[in-house]
Amino acid sequence: MRLRLPEERPTEPPTGYKIAHPVLSQDGTRAGFTGVSLGGALPYGVLADASCVYGLRHRAPHRRCDCGFHCVHDRTAAEALLCTAEHRAAVLLEVLVLGRYLRFERGFRYARQRVRTATVGPCVCGAVATALADAGWGRPGWRALAPSCAGCVRGRASVSLASFARLAGEGLRVVAGSGAALPAAADLAVPEGLGVPELVAEAALLQARLDWFQTQLGRLGERGPGGGRQG
């Protein structure tokens, strides 16, 4: 006799939490995520199906394999993973567990998921992130992004949180977590089709960038045309 595990038939998809690195396609037209463990080499979209990372032809998740998407039940447990050095730039995802899944004590391993919300942590300087900027690494065809405030973006390629959500599609919400400043967005160009909250965030970033440039111009003025300070 084969031992059959009990089957669940939930009326609504279970909710889970995980961490991942946000990524932007090389041409800047698509946004997604890449995992922090076994599936890290395979970026995925907001709505995605899992496949076996070992290239086997069975359907994920397979009971005798560790393939499939992974998440935990508890948000706090997922947030704890962000404390490690290698995961500081990752974002917290709230996901809907779709399709076939295996339930474990701490979470699920499952076949299909929809990312509902991505919570972006603070910039490396401690301020609230207003953008996702080039992190300096990536996967073939994809650039990894990291949280950044308006002052730290500087000349790096970046997208605002609202723009990332728009590029990712499927109704994804991207929100800024806690930090030392008020949240804003980080593109000089305002994307089309944004609501009032997103437009307010975009305007706040423009003001923040203008303030930064004015500060830099003020410092140059103090030094004078020859590079020395005016006295």
Side-chain angles (χ1 to χ4, degrees):
M1 293 180 58
R2 291 182 58 189
L3 178 63
R4 295 183 63 85
L5 298 176
E7 293 186 1
E8 298 182 16
R9 299 186 182 277
T11 56
E12 295 182 356
T15 298
Y17 302 90
K18 62 193 301 181
I19 64 172
H21 294 288
V23 293
L24 184 69
S25 64
Q26 183 177 357
D27 59 6
T29 62
R30 293 175 294 156
F33 304 94
T34 187
V36 297
S37 57
L38 285 176
L42 302 173
Y44 56 85
V46 173
L47 181 62
D49 295 294
S51 59
C52 181
V53 294
Y54 303 109
L56 302 178
R57 296 185 178 182
H58 55 238
R59 290 194 304 167
H62 195 278
R63 291 178 183 173
R64 297 182 180 179
C65 186
D66 53 7
C67 59
F69 290 121
H70 295 71
C71 72
V72 295
H73 301 303
D74 185 42
R75 181 188 179 100
T76 304
E79 289 176 331
L81 299 175
L82 297 172
C83 294
T84 62
E86 64 270 27
H87 298 156
R88 289 290 178 92
V91 299
L92 176 70
L93 305 183
E94 177 187 319
V95 301
L96 288 181
V97 176
L98 307 174
R100 299 170 60 248
Y101 63 82
L102 300 175
R103 180 187 288 272
F104 297 92
E105 180 180 358
R106 298 189 60 190
F108 299 99
R109 183 158 61 89
Y110 51 101
R112 184 175 172 84
Q113 73 177 7
R114 178 186 293 275
V115 182
R116 298 179 63 186
T117 305
T119 302
V120 179
C123 176
V124 67
C125 72
V128 169
T130 61
L132 291 167
D134 190 343
W137 63 277
R139 306 288 184 228
W142 295 87
R143 292 188 178 92
L145 305 176
S148 178
C149 68
C152 293
V153 167
R154 303 293 174 87
R156 288 188 294 165
S158 65
V159 293
S160 70
L161 306 188
S163 294
F164 184 90
R166 176 176 57 85
L167 292 172
E170 298 290 347
L172 174 69
R173 292 180 61 246
V174 182
V175 298
S178 59
L182 294 176
D187 280 341
L188 287 174
V190 178
E192 297 181 0
L194 299 182
V196 173
E198 291 84 0
L199 291 174
V200 170
E202 298 283 352
L205 167 71
L206 292 177
Q207 185 61 54
R209 282 193 169 180
L210 286 173
D211 292 342
W212 182 83
F213 280 118
Q214 287 175 349
T215 300
Q216 302 305 310
L217 289 173
R219 291 175 178 174
L220 291 174
E222 292 178 359
R223 294 174 182 175
R229 288 186 174 274
Q230 297 289 337

